[in-house]
Structure formats: C-alpha cells, structure tokens
Amino acid sequence: MRRDVAIHAVVPAAGVGARMGAGLPKQYLTLAGRTLAEHTLSRLLAFAPIRQVVVAVAEADPWWPELSVARQPRVTTVHGGDTRAHSVRAGLAEVLARDPDAWVLVHDMARPLLRLSDMQALLDSCAGQDDAQGAILALPVSDTVKQAGPGALIEATLDRALIWRALTPQLFPAAALHDALTGAHAGITDEASAMEAAGWRPRLVPARADNIKVTLPEDLALARFYLEAQRQEGLAWRFA
Ligand code: CTP
Ligand code: MG
C-alpha cells in the first residue's frame, strides 16, 4: 500500500437491527444525545487520512436524511442491499467511480466507539508495504474456546492462542475487494473472509476491546459505559 494512496471509508448501514428489536434500525438509537450513526461518522470524519465516507443505507430509510451529517461534504450516500456484502459492494462501486486505485476502510455503522488510534494502527500495518494483503482490527479471545458437536456436546477444545475475533474497520484495495465480494456466498460475513476465499492473507491488527458492535439491547448499556470511559480519557472527535 503506497503511503500516498487515497483512503476512503465505506460504511454499511442498511441493516434493520432485527436482534435489537427496537422498532427502528439500531444505528438511529440515541447514545448520550446523539444517534449511533452520528457517533460512528464523527470518528471516521475526524480521521484526516479518510477523503470520503460512503454510507450505504436502505432505499426507503426515512431517518438518514434527517441527520445533518448526511449533508456533510465528505459524506456520500448510496443505497445498500439485502445483505451486508451487497451494501458494501454498493459503497465500493461509488469509491471506484471516483478513484479506481483507492484503498478502503470498511466499518460497521453499528460500531460507534472506534478510536482514531485503532484506525491509525490499521493503516500503519500496511503503509509503505508493496506486498500488503490488507488488514483487519481484531481481538485475541480471552476465554477458552470449545468446538461444538451435535446436541451441543463438546467436540474439541481449540488452541486459544490461534483464535481472534474479527472487528471492523477492515482495510483493503477497493477494486480487489469489490471483485472478491462479487458472488460472495452466505458464509462470507466480513470483508476479510471474501478476500481469504480469493487467496489473500490479510493481517490481524490488535484492537481496543471498546470497539463493540451494538447488536443486542444489553449492548447499549455497555456502549454508554465505554463512551463515558473514553470521555474521561479526554478523547474527543471534531470535524470541519
Ligand atoms: N448491514 C447493511 N446491509 C445489510 C445488513 C447489514 O449495510 N443488508 C449493516 C448494518 O446496518 C450494520 C452492519 O452491516 O451497520 C453490521 O450488521 P449487523 O450488526 O448484523 O446489523 P443488522 O443487520 O442491522 O442487525 P441484525 O442482524 O440484528 O438485523
Ligand atoms: Mg445483520
């Protein structure tokens, strides 16, 4: 990845939040007075290396146009699809139309607590390396990990040292990722798995544990806790 390469962000935000069951998509729930979407985007927009943030929203989403951040000059809106992979591809098509050589940070709208330092670590892991294969933020597991067999009986205990949880952002060349996601099957649940299937070996970059994905109702309390802890640390995100 060339040090002067153009970096764009693609943010899939076309999900319905079925597991949250809130009556509106979870990215529009409020955390400390702002929607999750605004928290997430304020961080991406505060990260100087990102030129443009492409947000993929559902076609009939009435909430997104109500947010002033949707009209921010560095934010572009596209329509997402039925699966996360479709939504990411729609965003990548927009990036590629502007800049065919760009690299992209793909980040879940549902992860509002991303730190700028984690984004920087991800870029640093590939910057200046001709043979970089992309990278993702990830967390080594701390629990012992079991593999289940039929009837929830333990089949095996896995080597914990080898197991990481995949988070976002995930960093890849936009064109290669677009190709890899074309025709992606149901087992592809993140960008890295599509790239792995295409023969790439992305790097795992250790992330901070507060970069949670808000998925279930109880995650909101955890997000509130982490947000307050980040504020106590003095972290703040401003963008022009
Ligand atoms: N996403 C998307 N397009 C889809 C499905 C998901 O852009 N067709 C986005 C979500 O909006 C979210 C991110 O992908 O920002 C991660 O997905 P997830 O946490 O599963 O969100 P939802 O699909 O909305 O939640 P659920 O699976 O509980 O319905
Ligand atoms: Mg989902």
Side-chain angles (χ1 to χ4, degrees):
M1 186 178 91
R2 290 208 334 256
R3 286 187 189 280
D4 62 348
V5 74
I7 304 285
H8 294 247
V10 167
V11 183
V16 296
R19 285 169 287 179
M20 182 63 70
L24 79 173
K26 60 192 180 187
Q27 57 269 27
Y28 303 118
L29 295 176
T30 303
L31 184 66
R34 290 207 297 176
T35 60
L36 296 188
E38 290 167 304
H39 281 285
T40 303
L41 294 172
S42 71
R43 288 153 192 243
L44 293 170
L45 290 166
F47 188 55
I50 295 176
R51 291 200 187 170
Q52 200 72 24
V53 179
V54 180
V55 180
V57 299
E59 214 163 321
D61 179 336
W63 300 279
W64 172 247
E66 297 296 317
L67 301 183
S68 61
V69 72
R71 291 177 293 283
Q72 223 276 339
R74 280 165 68 219
V75 172
T76 307
T77 305
V78 298
H79 287 146
D82 290 344
T83 64
R84 186 174 174 287
H86 278 110
S87 299
V88 171
R89 274 189 56 207
L92 290 170
E94 174 67 27
V95 171
L96 289 168
R98 289 165 186 259
D99 194 338
D101 296 322
W103 280 56
V104 286
L105 288 168
V106 180
H107 182 62
D108 293 326
M109 191 65 102
R111 293 185 190 271
L113 297 163
L114 175 62
R115 289 165 181 259
L116 272 52
S117 54
D118 267 4
M119 281 190 271
Q120 191 62 56
L122 192 59
L123 289 192
D124 289 347
S125 76
C126 291
Q129 294 180 37
D130 293 341
D131 56 351
Q133 305 256 311
I136 73 170
L137 287 183
L139 269 178
V141 298
S142 47
D143 295 311
T144 298
V145 181
K146 304 295 185 186
Q147 185 180 323
L153 299 178
I154 294 172
E155 191 95 1
T157 299
L158 304 179
D159 182 356
R160 181 169 67 189
L162 301 177
I163 310 284
W164 294 61
R165 290 163 47 209
L167 315 182
T168 75
Q170 303 199 352
L171 173 68
F172 292 105
L177 181 57
H178 188 268
D179 287 353
L181 286 173
T182 302
H185 56 80
I188 302 288
T189 52
D190 71 346
E191 288 58 60
S193 47
M195 297 300 282
E196 292 157 45
W200 290 50
R201 292 286 293 278
R203 180 180 301 281
L204 295 162
V205 176
R208 292 288 296 246
D210 51 8
N211 183 13
I212 61 167
K213 181 157 73 74
V214 175
T215 306
L216 301 168
E218 54 264 40
D219 294 332
L220 285 169
L222 191 55
R224 210 168 288 123
F225 170 83
Y226 279 137
L227 180 65
E228 184 51 35
Q230 291 182 345
R231 286 182 175 165
Q232 302 271 326
E233 254 184 70
L235 299 180
W237 302 271
R238 288 194 180 74
F239 56 90

